[in-house]
Amino acid sequence: MLPHKKIESALQSAVREVLPDADVSTVLVRPGDPKFGDYQSNALMSLAKTRKLNPRQLATDVLAKLDLASVCEKVEIAGAGFLNFRLKNSVLVESLQAAARGEHLFFEKASSPKTIVIDFSSPNVAKPMHVGHIRSTGIGDALQRNLRLLGHSVISDNHIGDWGTQFGKLLLGWKNILDRPALECDAIAELERLYKIINAECDANPARLEEAKAELVKLQAGDAENISIWQEMTALSQKQFDEIYSRLGVKFDHALGESFYNPWLGEVVNDLLAKKIARESEGAVGVFSDSSLPPKEDPFLVNRDGEWIDDPALVRKSDGGFNYTTTDLATIDYRLKTWSPDEIVYVVDDRQSGHFKKLFAIFARWKSDDAKKVKLIHVGFGKILGDDGKPFKTRSGDTVKLGDLLNEAVERAYKTVSEKSSELPEAQRKEIARVVGLGAVKYSDLLPNRQSDYIFNWDKMLALQGNTAPYLLYAYARIKSIFRKIEVNLSLATRHSSLVLAAPEELTLANHLLNFGITVEAVAEEFRPNFLCNYLFELAGKFTGFYENCPVLKADDVATRDSRLALCDLTARVLKQGLETLGIETVEQM
Ligand code: ARG
């Protein structure tokens, strides 16, 4: 067991001895301030708070039951009731040696793995994937990788927007003004063109709008021709989505689009009506406040000029069509029946937070027993802005297509690589540029706190200095170059050497390596890949400190050299694993 896990489990048992009914799943240890210890736990303060106990007294009682003599040099109470743990040096060394032997890489599989459905990316058919889709796609993919690394059973599902009113207009366009050659050349651009033209016509001419509605009704009624055109549109869009996913290295277990749930929507609404959860209003059907919450927290109310008014979630339109919420309700039901997940995680733009609050509340009212078995979580995120602080657009003011953005990233990276490493053959420079360019876009999106908006900046994300993907990739390649210079059989050297951690920089690096597991656990708990970005950035910095102060190949003796080589190798492995967990590939040479 890894040291932080040993501390955690000892702490959990000690807490249970003092407070037998406490929920110890939140009693976690985190990296500490090196001045005070290697690890810290603040769990006792929140436990004391909820139970109205004196936190320092609780800490003292827990400490009395805590037996960590074999792991820690000392355990101390600090501040209002923090616990600080200082690891024994021998434990640190043993743990690194086990890692050098390949027994672990500083993380452990979760002791009680969960089944987690993760809903991410979810673009809409007949619209191109734009820059904003990097957010849900990148964050979602990093989270699925991170959760899998920890041994959870993850089911990723791409909830594609492949159903809805836009298809009436698209069908009308397809039947009247389709340009086949253009469709073959760039299907989504042609579908977009159809939509724009017909949409404008519908705005200007009510008769045209009626025609579009009639096409939609035929589609929904299963008309063979319309279904087959719709299928073609969906397949063409999916082809373009798949191209982007394959470039980004993103995989889904399922892509059950909105249309998949269509057969159940009528039943959902009838059931909501029968259970008096929904009611009719002006011909439509909606779910309203049940007054169970104070107005401020009630998702079904909004404040207009100081007055709380209804803000229902519609589940059936007055024309009989169904809403986004209806589909999402059927989707939860299906996911529970099919996979019995412990959690369903939605990686979707924060602008939809109102939708998810309503959705989760309706589900809890609709299927209260099922709702108790699953945690529904909206993992939201902010916008990507341009230099002007407004949503990021092309110079001409259009939305930036994701495919174009990725091309530009790779082209820009190619220029830098060719300047810096002109000696490398072109094919290799191209490959480096691909990894660096895609990595830079993904990393710059994962790095900020996901809820904040961030400003898109090519120079910043592609810089070799600073908290960027190129910097981390370069750090990795530099370590790899050390091993290219020597002829030592690394596995022999590191497996059999005993590690010596003497210099302060060696100790700092070793301690930080040990924190990899805690970091990925924290990412999984809070759905925040930025924790891992910052961890890796610090790792690269600590490695530099070590490398500058502790000669490796020119070490005084073979034992020291091999010990330091082992540290180099472990750093490279953690960097690679960490980047891979963020969905970023590595190159051996840059
Ligand atoms: N297609 C939707 C959109 O582009 C996102 C879907 C998110 N997932 C969900 N289950 N609602 O806004």
Side-chain angles (χ1 to χ4, degrees):
M1 207 195 265
L2 287 166
H4 81 276
K5 285 288 178 194
K6 281 191 190 151
I7 297 176
E8 202 164 278
S9 94
L11 183 59
Q12 288 170 337
S13 347
V15 168
R16 239 188 259 114
E17 275 188 60
V18 178
L19 304 170
D21 59 337
D23 169 16
V24 292
S25 65
T26 54
V27 178
L28 304 172
V29 301
R30 291 286 171 248
D33 179 338
K35 275 197 287 246
F36 307 116
D38 299 315
Y39 299 103
Q40 183 173 75
S41 174
N42 61 6
L44 301 181
M45 293 189 310
S46 40
L47 268 177
K49 197 173 166 204
T50 49
R51 284 155 191 264
K52 303 206 164 38
L53 299 170
N54 173 338
R56 274 196 80 100
Q57 187 56 48
L58 177 62
T60 313
D61 296 346
V62 169
L63 190 58
K65 305 273 184 211
L66 199 56
D67 179 16
L68 278 170
S70 62
V71 191
C72 290
E73 197 180 285
K74 68 177 180 208
V75 186
E76 272 177 345
I77 304 173
F82 289 101
L83 283 180
N84 286 331
F85 307 86
R86 174 79 67 195
L87 214 56
K88 278 187 162 169
N89 189 275
S90 59
V91 172
L92 177 67
V93 171
E94 270 162 37
S95 191
L96 263 88
Q97 246 155 225
R101 288 193 300 268
E103 288 167 22
H104 65 74
L105 195 60
F106 309 107
F107 66 91
E108 253 169 43
K109 302 268 173 202
S111 50
S112 29
K114 292 187 253 189
T115 301
I116 303 170
V117 173
I118 167 160
D119 175 323
F120 71 99
S121 193
S122 312
N124 298 323
V125 164
K127 284 193 203 151
M129 283 177 87
H130 57 78
V131 56
H133 286 106
I134 195 70
R135 302 231 68 189
S136 174
T137 308
I139 297 171
D141 187 45
L143 292 177
Q144 79 162 332
R145 287 167 182 264
N146 196 98
L147 291 164
R148 287 205 166 107
L149 187 73
L150 290 171
H152 296 293
S153 152
V154 176
I155 297 148
S156 52
D157 186 10
N158 194 352
H159 192 73
I160 301 205
D162 62 356
W163 200 244
T165 44
Q166 74 271 30
F167 286 101
K169 291 171 185 168
L170 284 163
L171 282 161
L172 195 60
W174 183 285
K175 289 182 180 177
N176 289 291
I177 52 169
L178 180 66
D179 178 350
R180 269 279 164 194
L183 187 77
E184 262 140 47
C185 168
D186 183 348
I188 295 193
E190 174 60 7
L191 292 175
E192 248 198 319
R193 188 187 70 90
L194 299 184
Y195 183 82
K196 277 190 189 149
I197 294 178
I198 303 293
N199 195 39
E201 286 179 11
C202 289
D203 283 345
N205 175 1
R208 199 65 169 155
L209 185 62
E210 286 312 309
E211 276 181 77
K213 279 191 183 158
E215 292 296 350
L216 184 66
V217 170
K218 272 168 74 184
L219 174 71
Q220 286 169 338
D223 172 81
E225 188 193 5
N226 281 10
I227 290 278
S228 114
I229 297 173
W230 165 75
Q231 278 167 342
E232 200 175 340
M233 293 193 271
T234 308
L236 288 168
S237 298
Q238 188 64 49
K239 208 174 136 232
Q240 289 206 359
F241 300 156
D242 287 342
E243 271 168 34
I244 295 218
Y245 294 139
S246 108
R247 278 185 88 175
L248 292 174
V250 175
K251 294 198 185 95
F252 297 91
D253 299 311
H254 302 276
L256 300 175
E258 293 181 21
S259 65
F260 177 78
Y261 302 95
N262 192 45
W264 294 291
L265 303 183
E267 259 170 69
V268 170
V269 175
N270 290 338
D271 204 29
L272 290 170
L273 282 167
K275 292 187 169 143
K276 304 226 178 314
I277 295 162
R279 63 174 152 88
E280 281 191 40
S281 161
E282 294 165 36
V285 177
V287 179
F288 292 74
S289 166
D290 63 355
S291 307
S292 63
L293 289 170
K296 256 193 174 159
E297 290 157 37
D298 192 325
F300 303 94
L301 296 177
V302 279
N303 197 305
R304 289 268 152 77
D305 305 322
E307 218 183 305
W308 291 103
I309 59 166
D310 282 326
D311 183 25
L314 296 185
V315 290
R316 197 172 68 202
K317 301 177 200 169
S318 51
D319 66 5
F322 299 105
N323 300 73
Y324 185 51
T325 307
T326 329
T327 309
D328 259 330
L329 285 167
T331 307
I332 301 180
D333 194 39
Y334 176 85
R335 287 173 176 166
L336 294 193
K337 288 196 175 111
T338 314
W339 300 306
S340 314
D342 301 292
E343 292 174 5
I344 304 178
V345 178
Y346 298 84
V347 186
V348 185
D349 194 328
D350 263 336
R351 281 174 291 190
Q352 293 195 26
S353 70
H355 162 72
F356 285 106
K357 280 192 190 124
K358 286 177 174 155
L359 176 68
F360 301 166
I362 300 173
F363 190 74
R365 279 198 237 163
W366 180 36
K367 308 228 163 185
S368 55
D369 289 336
D370 287 345
K372 283 184 200 112
K373 291 183 216 140
V374 67
K375 228 164 117 184
L376 304 173
I377 303 160
H378 174 211
V379 171
F381 51 79
K383 296 186 282 292
I384 305 181
L385 307 176
D387 283 332
D388 55 1
K390 300 208 182 103
F392 184 51
K393 293 267 162 69
T394 61
R395 271 205 204 122
S396 53
D398 294 328
T399 44
V400 180
K401 294 188 180 153
L402 187 50
D404 296 344
L405 183 95
L406 299 180
N407 292 342
E408 184 166 352
V410 174
E411 275 161 32
R412 284 177 182 256
Y414 182 71
K415 258 178 86 188
T416 321
V417 174
S418 296
E419 277 161 27
K420 288 237 157 32
S421 313
S422 50
E423 75 287 357
L424 296 176
E426 184 180 319
Q428 196 178 353
R429 277 182 278 139
K430 286 227 152 100
E431 173 60 5
I432 297 171
R434 185 186 67 79
V435 172
V436 170
L438 298 179
V441 171
K442 287 190 183 187
Y443 191 84
S444 66
D445 191 70
L446 293 170
L447 178 63
N449 174 345
R450 61 179 158 75
Q451 277 116 335
S452 17
D453 297 343
Y454 75 89
I455 293 179
F456 191 91
N457 184 315
W458 284 119
D459 294 335
K460 213 166 133 192
M461 76 174 73
L462 285 162
L464 271 171
Q465 291 304 325
N467 196 349
T468 65
Y471 170 74
L472 295 176
L473 290 168
Y474 184 72
Y476 174 77
R478 192 173 58 161
I479 303 176
K480 285 289 161 175
S481 79
I482 302 170
F483 290 104
R484 277 195 295 275
K485 289 195 200 119
I486 47 166
E487 309 216 326
V488 187
N489 180 331
L490 174 73
S491 63
L492 279 182
T494 56
R495 260 160 225 259
H496 295 288
S497 72
S498 46
L499 273 152
V500 197
L501 303 174
E505 294 85 3
E506 288 174 317
L507 278 163
T508 309
L509 178 60
N511 267 312
H512 195 66
L513 284 167
L514 217 57
N515 284 339
F516 181 56
I518 294 193
T519 307
V520 284
E521 284 165 17
V523 172
E525 257 155 60
E526 295 190 32
F527 305 101
R528 293 191 189 282
N530 59 319
F531 293 166
L532 181 53
C533 297
N534 288 317
Y535 168 85
L536 294 175
F537 178 61
E538 279 174 38
L539 177 62
K542 291 187 165 140
F543 180 80
T544 305
F546 154 78
Y547 197 61
E548 280 167 3
N549 291 288
C550 306
V552 178
L553 297 179
K554 296 202 173 97
D556 294 339
D557 52 79
V558 176
T560 310
R561 185 201 65 181
D562 286 354
S563 170
R564 290 182 177 166
L565 277 174
L567 280 177
C568 293
D569 181 51
L570 288 171
T571 305
R573 279 161 54 193
V574 170
L575 275 172
K576 189 179 168 78
Q577 177 69 71
L579 287 166
E580 193 180 305
T581 306
L582 294 172
I584 297 172
E585 292 175 65
T586 42
V587 281
E588 302 294 296
Q589 198 175 350
M590 250 173 96

